Amino acid sequence: MNFQYLTDRLVLRIEQEQAADKVLAFYKKNKPYFDAFELTRPDHFYTKAFHQATLKVEYQELLRKHIIRFYVYEKEAYLHDASTAPIIGSVSISNIRMGGFKSGMLGYKFDHDYWGMGYAKEALDQLISIAFYDLSLHRLEAYIMPNNVRSIHLIKTLSFSYEGCDRKSIEVNHRFEDHERYARIKNELL
């Protein structure tokens, strides 16, 4: 697995602590759009120190193949000047389990200014390929709140199948909420 991938329009990149300012800016800008669907956040989530620590831990967990998070940039802006190119999204696989499971949980979020442009699908297509072929995973799951219609539409275009509803399974804004479970199996399309 590489630490950076290029698609037609995007750069997917593993970031480390020095990118904390960019990560923080991405979350602050999109707070009103993410909050309705995100896990309950600690009080210090919107600080540089929090994101420095998170990036450090995520990098250590990447080396152990427990989690992979790529930050997404527009390719043209990134290749023009990587230092000023803003993060426009994040795609990840967490809870990676090997052995008899060979599975992981898909996660993604994109800057609201880039919704409807096909960037999330393009980034996730690349991440799914990495999961199945570079990491040799067999199954990917995505948990989505039933009212997150845009995300459900996206996941279905990526050939994920609905498997059921996990009732009150994930804490969002200090309340446990229902989440629909979608899954895709390697080499199995709808």
Side-chain angles (χ1 to χ4, degrees):
M1 184 188 83
N2 299 321
F3 282 36
Q4 181 172 298
Y5 291 86
L6 302 178
T7 67
D8 288 341
R9 301 179 297 159
L10 303 173
V11 174
L12 281 67
R13 179 178 167 79
I14 303 290
E15 291 291 8
Q16 294 185 49
E17 293 172 70
Q18 63 272 19
D21 284 325
K22 282 188 173 190
V23 173
L24 178 58
F26 169 69
Y27 278 105
K28 280 184 171 181
K29 178 182 179 195
N30 290 284
K31 185 181 187 311
Y33 304 94
F34 294 165
D35 275 358
F37 305 108
E38 288 288 323
L39 302 176
T40 299
R41 300 289 189 201
D43 292 337
H44 60 288
F45 180 82
Y46 291 99
T47 66
K48 181 177 178 178
F50 178 88
H51 290 288
Q52 283 176 317
T54 299
L55 287 163
K56 183 177 182 178
V57 168
E58 284 184 349
Y59 187 76
Q60 293 166 349
E61 292 301 297
L62 164 72
L63 298 177
R64 294 181 183 99
K65 295 185 180 175
H66 293 164
I67 184 172
I68 296 163
R69 180 180 312 281
F70 288 97
Y71 288 92
V72 182
Y73 299 86
E74 279 188 298
K75 186 177 184 179
E76 187 176 315
Y78 188 85
L79 295 178
H80 175 71
D81 185 355
S83 67
T84 62
I87 292 171
I88 66 163
S90 166
V91 294
S92 65
I93 303 170
S94 60
N95 298 340
I96 297 173
R97 300 188 309 173
M98 296 311 285
F101 292 98
K102 292 183 178 60
S103 67
M105 186 170 20
L106 192 69
Y108 48 91
K109 56 185 66 85
F110 275 78
D111 184 316
H112 71 281
D113 287 338
Y114 296 87
W115 291 356
M117 299 173 76
Y119 285 162
K121 184 177 185 315
E122 187 172 330
L124 287 169
D125 277 335
Q126 180 67 52
L127 183 64
I128 291 166
S129 177
I130 293 165
F132 288 151
Y133 300 103
D134 293 357
L135 298 175
S136 299
L137 296 183
H138 168 73
R139 174 185 170 88
L140 288 173
E141 296 178 349
Y143 290 82
I144 304 169
M145 291 175 67
N147 63 337
N148 193 345
V149 177
R150 293 178 77 92
S151 189
I152 291 169
H153 174 75
L154 171 62
I155 210 72
K156 286 180 177 179
T157 67
L158 292 163
S159 300
F160 279 69
S161 302
Y162 175 76
E163 291 190 330
C165 183
D166 290 359
R167 297 202 64 246
K168 308 294 181 212
S169 60
I170 300 174
E171 188 179 7
V172 176
N173 293 316
H174 305 287
R175 288 183 36 184
F176 281 89
E177 300 285 352
D178 294 350
H179 279 71
E180 293 180 352
R181 184 180 61 254
Y182 292 82
R184 178 168 167 183
I185 309 301
K186 183 177 179 179
N187 298 326
E188 187 177 281
L189 300 176
L190 292 174

